[in-house]
Amino acid sequence: MRMDKFTQHRGVCAPLLRDNIDTDAIIPSREMRSVSKTGLSAGLFAAWRYTNALQREPNPDFVLNKPQYTGASILAAGENFGCGSSREHAVWALKEYGFRCIIAQSFGAIFYRNCASNGILPVVLSAQHIQSIVDDGELDINLETQTIKSVNTTLEFSVSENEKRVL
């Protein structure tokens, strides 16, 4: 998996506004067939993405299967995203799928660090701020100025200098 330096990113934001999405929901253990960083994106959110995970029948009600979110590279979530085990496969699956930024109210601590070290920008925003941008489609994220711009809003976020350097 190639690691591009994260400085600026423009992409579609998919809203998965649930709380406590754990690493097993992100990539179920049955979907991890190796210790490789590749081959995991098909299993991303498998229990929600598919009506039949074995036959990979898409669930039309799941956000990533909706046409307007095809190719989404930003994911918006609720509180405690990436909680549970320290499963780095969850971050690898998100990265391989094409996500460059996860915006949530809070993160599991290990998951947050794994995101930054694997090239995904983890952004913490309030529920109100997340709601203000999820319906705007594309977002522009600038790591240097620590801003997220949508059609209607400009928001600031905070990341450490170490995270900026790693990204």
Side-chain angles (χ1 to χ4, degrees):
M1 210 173 329
R2 201 170 132 226
M3 285 272 290
D4 294 328
K5 181 175 173 59
F6 192 114
T7 53
Q8 290 183 303
H9 178 74
R10 179 181 182 97
V12 171
C13 180
L16 185 59
L17 302 178
R18 301 179 188 186
D19 293 337
N20 301 311
I21 297 174
D22 66 22
T23 55
D24 195 52
I26 297 169
I27 183 77
S29 59
R30 68 181 174 279
E31 298 290 337
M32 299 182 310
R33 294 180 175 89
S34 74
V35 293
S36 173
K37 290 185 177 186
T38 60
L40 297 168
S41 63
L44 182 69
F45 301 118
W48 300 336
R49 241 169 96 196
Y50 307 111
T51 56
N52 182 328
L54 293 176
Q55 295 177 357
R56 299 291 196 233
E57 295 171 6
N59 174 356
D61 296 326
F62 185 66
V63 65
L64 296 181
N65 294 335
K66 294 183 179 187
Q68 66 266 38
Y69 300 113
T70 300
S73 58
I74 302 166
L75 185 68
E79 292 184 31
N80 205 22
F81 187 84
C83 58
S85 74
S86 59
R87 184 177 299 169
E88 197 167 13
H89 288 77
V91 174
W92 297 343
L94 288 160
K95 176 79 175 182
E96 184 180 48
Y97 187 84
F99 287 109
R100 292 302 316 267
C101 179
I102 309 293
I103 302 170
Q105 292 173 45
S106 61
F107 291 89
I110 295 171
F111 181 87
Y112 184 93
R113 286 189 302 274
N114 284 341
C115 277
S117 65
N118 282 281
I120 296 177
L121 173 63
V123 172
V124 175
L125 292 178
S126 70
Q128 179 182 356
H129 284 143
I130 291 170
Q131 196 59 55
S132 74
I133 60 173
V134 295
D135 295 327
D136 289 345
E138 284 194 335
L139 302 177
D140 288 306
I141 301 171
N142 186 314
L143 183 58
E144 201 164 299
T145 62
Q146 295 180 173
T147 57
I148 298 174
K149 292 183 182 179
S150 70
V151 172
N152 301 309
T153 308
T154 297
L155 301 172
E156 294 182 354
F157 63 91
S158 178
V159 295
S160 73
E161 287 303 315
N162 184 52
E163 289 156 351
K164 277 182 159 181
R165 189 178 63 256
V166 169
L167 286 160

